Amino acid sequence: PDRLNCAAELLTGPPDDRPVFHTPTGDTWTYGTLRARVDRLAHLLTGDLGVVPGNRVLLRGPTTPWLAACWLAVLKAGAVAVTVLAQQRPHELATMCEIARVEHALCDIRAVDDLAKAEIPGLRITTYGGDAPDDLLNREAPGTPYTAVRTAADDVALIAFTSGTTGRPKGCMHFHRDV
């Protein structure tokens, strides 16, 4: 179709009680849980954080259900997810943020130090997974469904970077239809 929001598509269909994630600590997220958390995060992104469609949002942290929920929320809000490895160093992060014109970052509290050290001008870093009152997961948000932004199928959904081991990192853009 001409209009497609891949996050909405990925979250539509499976029953609420169907498991989607099993964690090493024994937690299980169902599709119902994931949908509710993605909607809550999307409300926070577009409300508290001021993210608008087309904004680039850096996602940094270990691979967890919360990182996946952030990724889906960014896409559902019509923004562009800029995915980076948790192991990337400050100078690499600065280069990637410059290339992708990143203004916002959602970062697992365990991976925030190198991102802060990158000193990226104008970057608004929001952490998750911590105890602080301003932590993304501790903020108040509407408990209502979030209506996905009506993105075009050929709108950019995510930018994934090469490692840059042989030179300057390169960003590869992926469209909603590609996901």
Side-chain angles (χ1 to χ4, degrees):
D2 290 339
R3 293 280 173 193
L4 174 73
N5 184 300
C6 64
E9 289 297 315
L10 291 168
L11 292 169
T12 300
D16 281 350
D17 62 347
R18 182 175 173 190
V20 63
F21 297 123
H22 298 285
T23 70
T25 60
D27 293 333
T28 297
W29 285 31
T30 64
Y31 273 93
T33 301
L34 178 61
R35 281 191 275 269
R37 289 177 177 167
V38 166
D39 286 348
R40 184 176 174 280
L41 292 170
H43 278 296
L44 288 168
L45 284 168
T46 59
D48 283 7
L49 302 180
V51 172
V52 297
N55 280 164
R56 275 56 177 242
V57 180
L58 183 91
L59 298 173
R60 177 174 164 81
T63 304
T64 65
W66 279 113
L67 181 64
C70 287
W71 184 80
L72 288 163
V74 167
L75 298 178
K76 197 166 184 181
V80 178
V82 179
T83 56
V84 297
L85 299 173
Q87 298 82 1
Q88 286 171 316
R89 298 166 292 190
H91 71 279
E92 295 166 330
L93 294 167
T95 299
M96 291 173 188
C97 286
E98 177 191 343
I99 291 169
R101 296 180 303 203
V102 174
E103 297 175 8
H104 300 274
L106 301 181
C107 187
D108 186 295
I109 193 71
R110 297 170 288 181
V112 75
D113 290 345
D114 280 344
L115 184 56
K117 287 177 190 171
E119 298 179 352
I120 300 158
L123 181 65
R124 182 173 180 184
I125 301 171
T126 305
T127 59
Y128 64 89
D131 296 329
D134 64 342
D135 185 277
L136 186 65
L137 306 183
N138 295 331
R139 293 180 184 213
E140 293 292 322
T144 57
Y146 183 90
T147 302
V149 170
R150 293 193 64 226
T151 51
D154 59 358
D155 281 345
V156 176
L158 67 110
I159 300 173
F161 278 89
T162 62
S163 65
T165 55
T166 60
R168 190 170 165 92
K170 292 156 191 71
C172 181
M173 297 184 291
H174 301 273
F175 304 119
H176 280 268
R177 70 169 180 251
D178 299 332
V179 175

